[in-house]
Amino acid sequence: MGSTSDKISGKANEIAGKTRQAVGKATDNREMQAKGAIQEAKGKGQVATGKVKDKLKGAVDRL
């Protein structure tokens, strides 16, 4: 997966996770809240991976 697709997928997972958490909170569903938090964390990891790939590509391009 390229850096841009990592960042896009990551943002999508972050948004979906936050939404899931909100629905879980509104319906008092702790399992849904927990799964939303996990999905949001996964998204943040994907965004971070995309940023690292960008930095590595920039470093390699400067060589």
Side-chain angles (χ1 to χ4, degrees), residues 1-11 43 45-57:
M1 207 181 269
S3 65
T4 302
S5 58
D6 281 334
K7 290 188 276 187
I8 291 169
S9 294
K11 281 295 177 187
Q46 287 174 309
V47 170
T49 299
K51 289 179 180 180
V52 168
K53 285 181 180 179
D54 282 343
K55 288 185 183 211
L56 287 174
K57 184 179 180 325

Side-chain angles (χ1 to χ4, degrees), residues 7 12-13 23 25-26 38-39 55 62-63:
K7 290 188 276 187
N13 273 319
V23 171
K25 187 174 184 177
I38 291 167
Q39 187 172 7
K55 288 185 183 211
R62 285 190 297 264
L63 295 178

